[in-house]
Amino acid sequence: MTPPNAVVDDQAGDTAGSGVGTAAASETAATPTPFQRPLPRTIAIANQKGGVGKTTTAVNLGACLAELGYRTLVVDLDPQGNATTGLGINIRDLQASMYDVILNDLPIEDCIEATAVRNLFCAPAALDLAGAEIELVPAFSREMRLRRALDSVRDDYDYVLIDCPPSLGLLTVNGLAAASEVLVPIQCEYYALEGLGQLLRNVQLVQRNLNPRLELSAMVLVMYDARTKLADQVVQEVRDHFGEKVCNSIVPRTVRLSEAPSFGQPIITFDPTSRGSIAYRSLALEVSGGAAQRAG
Ligand SMILES: Nc1ncnc2c1ncn2[C@@H]1O[C@H](COP(=O)(O)OP(=O)(O)O)[C@@H](O)[C@H]1O
Ligand SMILES: [Mg+2]
């Protein structure tokens, strides 16, 4: 089996060769890809399994889209707040968070924080959001809270990425109802496909009942370890199953990607030439198709 071209050789150290500079959108020839859609785009990053790379993908795809010049908002919908801290925001300093937006109708612009990366913003979450899952149950239009909240800022961003929690509860339903696309990270490990049927059924349920324009747009293979045969088998299996929905860019398993969050940095600032940086830059180009930003 030929390794996928987007995976940089795994045996060398973590730093890839030269030639990796900051990829400004203007320098990048626009190459339409199957993943390109008109801007603005709202993409829910979902998979009810924990630890499959949702947050890592939200943070790093977000940072790479911002680097390409797109105004990008990462909405943290996980009470763990990992996207929030991974973007360098101290949860203890927060005046407001997604809890207030979802439960108390706080305008989302009142909780959005800038990050150290130009063009990249975060709507933060903290542990209190865990209560939302229960408090929302009796609430009026409980599935549409996030969608309503985003309506007022959607035109301010080219990309809104929603980092969903590891469940299929009301918070994830809010994420799916607010999005036009779902991006699913899939770990290149045994049981990778387990649970995906349930996720796809939920996406269909949301499509039918809440959000007809929702589309499963992309599957992203992550945590690829070139040293295991199994990883290639999983890649093949996912491609056989989902065909053109699977992105060519594959994110390797690298220690640097797992270290970056504890420094509150996306990989492209933490280690700009690492394999993780290269992979997420490649993914950002693929997802955006190098599409021009909206005018104005
Ligand atoms: N490509 C990768 N290589 C190495 N570690 C990774 C990679 N992607 C994610 N991780 C680590 O795996 C753990 C789970 O990832 P995370 O993105 O938090 O998953 P989720 O949001 O789906 O729960 C985290 O500790 C993260 O740093
Ligand atoms: Mg997460």
Side-chain angles (χ1 to χ4, degrees), residues 231-288:
D232 280 328
Q233 283 167 16
V234 173
V235 168
Q236 201 50 54
E237 197 177 345
V238 172
R239 291 226 155 106
D240 289 346
H241 246 81
F242 296 102
E244 65 193 16
K245 297 252 183 247
V246 186
C247 294
N248 273 323
S249 314
I250 296 185
V251 178
R253 182 180 283 285
T254 90
V255 174
R256 300 299 270 168
L257 272 172
S258 62
E259 287 170 343
S262 55
F263 294 85
Q265 291 179 32
I267 191 69
I268 53 166
T269 40
F270 180 64
D271 192 347
T273 60
S274 65
R275 292 182 298 125
S277 290
I278 293 170
Y280 274 108
R281 282 196 178 109
S282 156
L283 181 65
L285 277 175
E286 202 179 351
V287 167
S288 67

Side-chain angles (χ1 to χ4, degrees), residues 49-56 223 251-254 257-258:
K49 282 202 221 175
V52 297
K54 289 181 291 297
T55 300
T56 306
M223 302 194 208
V251 178
R253 182 180 283 285
T254 90
L257 272 172
S258 62

Side-chain angles (χ1 to χ4, degrees), residues 1-4 7 10 186-192 221-239 250-253:
M1 222 171 294
T2 31
V7 176
D10 207 55
I186 299 180
Q187 236 177 327
C188 297
E189 306 232 318
Y190 203 55
Y191 294 132
L221 292 156
V222 300
M223 302 194 208
Y224 174 88
D225 187 343
R227 286 163 301 192
T228 69
K229 273 217 173 80
L230 178 68
D232 280 328
Q233 283 167 16
V234 173
V235 168
Q236 201 50 54
E237 197 177 345
V238 172
R239 291 226 155 106
I250 296 185
V251 178
R253 182 180 283 285

